[in-house]
Amino acid sequence: MRLIALAFCFLTGSAYALDSATLSTMLSDLGSATAENSRLTGVLGDFTVNNERLMKENKVLADNRTLQQSNLTNATAAGQARLDSATAAKQAAINAVIAEYDRLGCVGSLPPEKYNWCMQQRATYTARIENMKTTGTQELRDLAAAIDRDTLAPIRSVIARQTAGIDQIAGKMKSNFNEFTRTQDTQVALRAKIAAMRAAIADICSSARQGSATYSLCHGVNWDGTRTCVGLAAAPPN
């Protein structure tokens, strides 16, 4: 970039050295470019601060989601234990009825009267057991639905909201990164332009005649490596 600037000034320096208005314009343009560079630095800083904030929000959501996922696992296990206990209790009740039937003595060779009575009892107990199975199955289904509705679904809802929040933050961070990269590329190009402008101005000032209008504009310009002025440092600003 320095070589390009030197070549540019070699071809046009004599004209610029005699044209104070041109140098004044160049200095003004340099001031505008320097101000824009500072603005871009602030924009990049804002992106960084914003991303740091988003990262903190993401961590909070991720930590809470992990906690809720653990709660869901524990609640699911507890709900399953309730279902298992209720299932075992209903099976025990059915087994008690079967045992009650077995105690009636309706086995082996029976007299006709006893046999007929046993057949009636068998029908009664069979219907009773089937009813217990049907009722018990529905009660277990209702219990499972209640556990899911009252305990598990609310936790899943929280997890879903947290996941949506995490996804939203990820989208914002990606967008911010893309904007950061574009802004950074713009600033890199601007700094190269500023460096070329500084080099061109320094070359013009180095050939300006002392006492000329152009030379008066060069007062304090860092064209010889030692002189400085506000807004025209030797290197592009950070």
Side-chain angles (χ1 to χ4, degrees):
M1 187 63 68
R2 176 67 175 175
L3 292 177
I4 294 174
L6 287 174
F8 173 79
C9 290
F10 178 78
L11 294 173
T12 60
S14 59
Y16 284 143
L18 300 176
D19 189 348
S20 60
T22 298
L23 179 58
S24 178
T25 298
M26 293 176 70
L27 289 170
S28 176
D29 290 345
L30 177 62
S32 297
T34 301
E36 176 63 9
N37 179 69
S38 297
R39 187 190 72 81
L40 292 177
T41 297
V43 171
L44 292 174
D46 290 341
F47 279 130
T48 300
V49 171
N50 191 34
N51 261 16
E52 289 175 351
R53 176 182 59 80
L54 290 173
M55 288 176 66
K56 291 179 180 178
E57 292 179 3
N58 183 78
K59 186 178 186 306
V60 171
L61 284 175
D63 289 346
N64 286 338
R65 183 175 65 175
T66 298
L67 176 61
Q68 291 300 323
Q69 288 170 334
S70 177
N71 290 341
L72 181 60
T73 298
N74 295 335
T76 299
Q80 187 60 53
R82 285 182 62 188
L83 282 172
D84 291 344
S85 178
T87 299
K90 293 183 182 304
Q91 186 59 54
I94 290 174
N95 292 341
V97 173
I98 293 173
E100 181 180 324
Y101 173 77
D102 291 341
R103 289 194 295 270
L104 296 179
C106 294
V107 294
S109 180
L110 300 172
E113 184 177 346
K114 176 74 171 179
Y115 176 80
N116 292 334
W117 179 83
C118 282
M119 292 302 292
Q120 293 174 355
Q121 293 302 312
R122 180 176 181 179
T124 299
Y125 275 86
T126 298
R128 181 179 173 187
I129 290 171
E130 289 303 318
N131 181 66
M132 292 175 70
K133 287 181 178 180
T134 300
T135 302
T137 298
Q138 186 59 51
E139 289 176 348
L140 290 173
R141 288 174 179 169
D142 291 344
L143 176 59
I147 291 173
D148 186 78
R149 180 188 64 247
D150 300 335
T151 304
L152 304 183
I155 299 177
R156 288 199 301 269
S157 178
V158 172
I159 292 174
R161 290 197 301 271
Q162 291 168 336
T163 298
I166 290 172
D167 291 343
Q168 186 178 37
I169 288 175
K172 289 180 180 179
M173 291 183 68
K174 181 178 180 180
S175 177
N176 282 351
F177 176 77
N178 291 337
E179 287 297 325
F180 179 92
T181 300
R182 283 193 289 270
T183 302
Q184 194 174 51
D185 290 344
T186 299
Q187 188 179 50
V188 168
L190 179 62
R191 287 182 175 182
K193 179 180 178 181
I194 289 173
M197 294 170 71
R198 292 177 189 279
I201 291 172
D203 285 343
I204 291 173
C205 289
S206 66
S207 62
R209 293 192 307 275
Q210 188 170 358
S212 67
T214 299
Y215 185 84
S216 66
L217 292 175
C218 294
H219 176 70
V221 172
N222 184 22
W223 55 267
D224 63 356
T226 59
R227 304 179 191 180
T228 60
C229 72
V230 176
L232 190 60
N238 294 325

